[in-house]
Amino acid sequence: MELNELYRDVILDHNRKPRNFGGLEPADASVEGFNPMCGDRLTVRLRLADDTISDIRFEGQGCAISTASASLMTEAVKGKTRAEALQLFDRVHQLLTDDAATGADELGKLAALSGVREYPARVKCASLCWHTLASALRSANPQALPAVSTE
Amino acid sequence: MNNIALAARPASFDVDALRRQFPVLSRLVRGKPLVYLDNAASAQRPNAVIDAVNDYERHHHANIHRGVHTLSQEATALYESARDKMVDFIHARSRNEIIFVRGTTEAINLVAQSYARPLLQPGDEILITHLEHHANIVPWQMVCEQTGATLVVAPIDARGEVHFDAVAALMSPRTRLLACAHVSNALGTVLPVRRLIAAARARGIVTLIDGAQAVSHMDVDVQALDCDFYAFSGHKMYGPTGVGVLYGREQLLERMPPWQSGGEMILSVTFAKTTYNGLPNKFEAGTPNISGVVGLGAALDFLQGLDREAAHAHETALLERASAALSRIPELRIVGTAPDKASLVSFVVAGVHPHDLGTILDEDGIAIRTGHHCAMPVMEFFALPATARASFAFYNTFEEIDRLAAGVERARKIFA
């Protein structure tokens, strides 16, 4: 395993210049995610139009993997319905943890996160934002959600 | 650097020969020779410890203090001889002052629950410092909740130093206990414990010193320190995990009720009344970590066989070398710059998160700790979520520090 498989250019770029970074007022949901093992902390805020994520932003502090993952996530889920966003979470989670995961091509830029699975200690860095998003979607409307697959 | 190198390597201290006694130090990690710089989290074991545990498991294991048979007597003798060695090592007065526990955390909890909890009244105060490990914060918070006592926290300065005056100023007529680290695990700061203990004693305040980071770096003499309790772990002093020591002044231990109850800590049990065993067994309920204690005894023999003065001088030279090498790296800031430090360096690099740095160094076979070091108030004080920490032992070399510095430079390039 080479380091440049983990720290791919896409990851480094999104770490250096995180997209959709900052506050969002007003927001339909705002949830803080915290990884007590490493001190990573981020807040995901989103707006829903009907059932679609019309806007999403995040802020906080974390390592390159966690910052880039959050940045890529906001790009990927904007414009998606909640069910679509949660399906995507499942597939990203598989990508991060399952060596046999397929279909990385369809994930677009998110596929850049696949290097993380060689570094088990870092999987939580990449998945923190997704767990936070799932929680935000749940808090926005607890009834209408399919089950969230977490670790 | 030549002067330091010469001073640090007298003829009696041969780092290469010492390294050969630690088998793990010759392994490869990710194809590179291991550079183990996480000694403050847990030090490695020499053959002497590994062999002693192995020999015990293969030839002598039985439960202790129980049987008339040969194995039980051998196991008991090995276990209790480790206690004797510990008496010598920290200069306790007697065997009754050495309680074997699981580690520093359990030792502090024992004092919190058995000494402090029955004693404290609402309004009483426990004094700690801002740079304590969570294990020397949370047990006292729990006792405060249980008794109505108040936790008072002495400040640190921007260098991560604890000043005697700042702590002494907080000793009040209501202070019942001073609990502080000997050496900070997050920053390496050495606290002025001898003066603090003297000031506390003059005011009738009982003292507990968290020595987890000190015993491997300096000679600890509990009588010279004059503390009431001293807590430390075996695995940070080249022994096994799961075993540690609470030193306690005998008069205090005598008055304290047992913390846990069961076998070993009793003299007689009827359903009407139980008579407790004497010291030290009163505090060692249940079958202890016998092989761990045996291994710890072997670690003490190992340490006593070293030229410890030379070993400490080498560690000091490693600290100086690391501080100088890391300080030369642009955008790197050393966190914790007290004048008196044990051999560890906590640092941050602008633009490189400590976790990314830890992963990149691991790729070079270099093991450091990254995170909050179980000292979140210290991180909060410096407004940092985490730091990288390189902590040294006498078996580390200058070459390893150069590899650390080169690895940090590599990480900077990746994130440039």
Side-chain angles (χ1 to χ4, degrees):
Chain A
M1 187 67 193
E2 286 295 317
L3 269 181
N4 54 17
E5 281 292 298
L6 180 64
Y7 295 110
R8 294 182 196 180
D9 289 344
V10 176
I11 304 281
L12 294 175
D13 175 50
H14 277 256
N15 174 54
R16 217 171 281 129
K17 291 175 293 187
R19 321 296 200 266
N20 302 306
F21 189 85
L24 182 66
E25 291 292 336
D28 294 314
S30 169
V31 171
E32 190 183 17
F34 180 51
N35 183 345
M37 290 305 292
C38 59
D40 284 1
R41 194 182 284 275
L42 59 84
T43 302
V44 172
R45 296 186 181 88
L46 56 85
R47 282 183 202 148
L48 290 169
D50 296 327
D51 204 40
T52 299
I53 299 169
S54 60
D55 203 358
I56 177 166
R57 291 171 75 74
F58 80 103
E59 61 186 337
Q61 53 190 3
C63 63
I65 303 299
S66 110
T67 302
S69 181
S71 172
L72 289 163
M73 178 188 79
T74 57
E75 281 193 332
V77 302
K78 203 182 283 190
K80 289 209 166 18
T81 66
R82 286 188 301 162
E84 287 168 347
L86 290 165
Q87 274 168 13
L88 197 54
F89 173 25
D90 281 347
R91 295 184 52 198
V92 170
H93 194 261
Q94 257 195 333
L95 179 79
L96 296 176
T97 55
D98 186 354
D99 282 343
T102 53
D105 294 348
E106 299 154 38
L107 287 171
K109 277 197 251 173
L110 289 171
L113 292 166
S114 66
V116 171
R117 67 172 169 243
E118 299 296 326
Y119 297 84
R122 307 300 302 278
V123 169
K124 284 188 176 174
C125 308
S127 60
L128 176 65
C129 60
W130 286 93
H131 286 290
T132 310
L133 170 67
S135 173
L137 291 173
R138 220 179 278 127
S139 74
N141 184 350
Q143 280 82 36
L145 275 184
V148 178
S149 160
T150 63
E151 52 198 314
Chain B
M1 282 303 152
N2 281 340
N3 290 339
I4 292 170
L6 288 173
R9 292 186 177 181
S12 64
F13 194 71
D14 181 343
V15 178
D16 293 332
L18 193 60
R19 289 177 67 83
R20 285 194 289 275
Q21 299 186 51
F22 288 79
V24 77
L25 296 180
S26 60
R27 72 160 278 187
L28 301 180
V29 168
R30 296 184 184 269
K32 314 272 176 53
L34 167 67
V35 175
Y36 189 75
L37 303 179
D38 195 17
N39 295 287
S42 198
Q44 297 296 343
R45 291 94 164 105
N47 282 322
V49 170
I50 296 165
D51 293 347
V53 172
N54 194 332
D55 181 64
Y56 168 77
E57 301 285 10
R58 282 174 178 274
H59 304 296
H60 306 292
H61 170 68
N63 211 332
I64 54 169
H65 302 149
R66 302 265 196 300
V68 296
H69 61 78
T70 300
L71 286 189
S72 177
Q73 290 175 45
E74 288 176 1
T76 303
L78 284 166
Y79 183 88
E80 291 301 336
S81 76
R83 199 188 310 272
D84 291 330
K85 290 170 190 173
M86 191 57 78
V87 170
D88 289 343
F89 191 78
I90 63 166
H91 306 282
R93 287 167 210 83
S94 89
R95 305 165 42 76
N96 291 346
E97 298 186 321
I98 303 294
I99 314 294
F100 286 123
V101 291
R102 280 191 296 143
T104 310
T105 298
E106 188 176 57
I108 295 172
N109 275 277
L110 192 163
V111 175
Q113 291 301 312
S114 175
Y115 175 75
R117 189 177 179 182
L119 173 89
L120 293 178
Q121 303 291 322
D124 283 346
E125 293 168 1
I126 299 172
L127 179 56
I128 64 172
T129 80
H130 199 115
L131 50 59
E132 301 307 317
H133 186 283
H134 295 166
N136 201 27
I137 301 173
V138 184
W140 308 118
Q141 286 175 326
M142 287 176 64
V143 167
C144 286
E145 278 173 23
Q146 288 157 344
T147 62
T150 304
L151 192 63
V152 177
V153 183
I156 49 177
D157 72 6
R159 297 192 295 183
E161 195 175 357
V162 174
H163 293 280
F164 169 79
D165 293 341
V167 186
L170 291 170
M171 293 179 186
S172 83
R174 296 305 302 268
T175 309
R176 294 284 171 264
L177 197 111
L178 167 69
C180 70
H182 198 161
V183 173
S184 157
N185 74 304
L187 306 178
T189 309
V190 179
L191 280 77
V193 288
R194 192 182 286 244
R195 289 181 70 200
L196 289 172
I197 293 163
R201 180 156 302 290
R203 294 164 172 81
I205 298 167
V206 165
T207 50
L208 175 141
I209 306 300
D210 168 0
Q213 296 296 338
V215 280
S216 58
H217 291 300
M218 56 186 71
D219 292 319
V220 171
D221 181 332
V222 290
Q223 290 192 65
L225 284 174
D226 203 24
C227 55
D228 294 298
F229 299 103
Y230 196 94
F232 56 103
S233 299
H235 69 105
K236 295 191 202 285
M237 53 194 301
Y238 313 99
T241 53
V243 61
V245 170
L246 173 67
Y247 157 81
R249 193 185 290 277
E250 188 164 354
Q251 303 96 294
L252 288 178
L253 291 175
E254 281 289 357
R255 295 208 304 266
M256 288 157 57
W259 180 44
Q260 294 170 332
S261 50
E264 191 60 64
M265 50 72 69
I266 48 84
L267 279 182
S268 74
V269 175
T270 69
F271 287 113
K273 180 166 173 57
T274 293
T275 307
Y276 302 137
N277 206 337
L279 290 172
N281 312 73
K282 181 170 84 172
F283 291 108
E284 294 181 9
T287 299
N289 180 356
I290 307 170
S291 67
V293 168
V294 170
L296 180 56
L300 297 181
D301 289 339
F302 173 81
L303 288 169
Q304 300 279 31
L306 286 182
D307 180 343
R308 298 190 71 208
E309 204 174 314
H312 295 161
H314 179 59
E315 289 183 356
T316 302
L318 289 168
L319 175 66
E320 287 169 7
R321 174 87 160 211
S323 302
L326 293 173
S327 297
R328 278 196 294 273
I329 297 173
E331 308 290 321
L332 185 149
R333 178 161 70 96
I334 292 176
V335 182
T337 50
D340 193 4
K341 273 177 67 171
S343 197
L344 73 84
V345 184
S346 223
F347 61 97
V348 289
V349 184
V352 187
H353 191 279
H355 274 78
D356 297 311
L357 182 59
T359 294
I360 291 164
L361 290 175
D362 185 60
E363 204 66 27
D364 283 340
I366 303 167
I368 62 161
R369 173 82 182 266
T370 61
H372 52 58
H373 316 296
C374 295
M376 288 173 83
V378 177
M379 298 295 115
E380 196 186 357
F381 177 83
F382 288 101
L384 295 167
T387 69
R389 181 188 73 184
S391 53
F392 311 109
F394 45 59
Y395 46 58
N396 288 124
T397 66
F398 293 158
E399 292 75 14
E400 290 180 314
I401 284 169
D402 296 342
R403 278 182 60 193
L404 168 69
V408 175
E409 288 283 21
R410 183 181 173 205
R412 283 188 66 236
K413 287 202 182 74
I414 290 175
F415 284 93

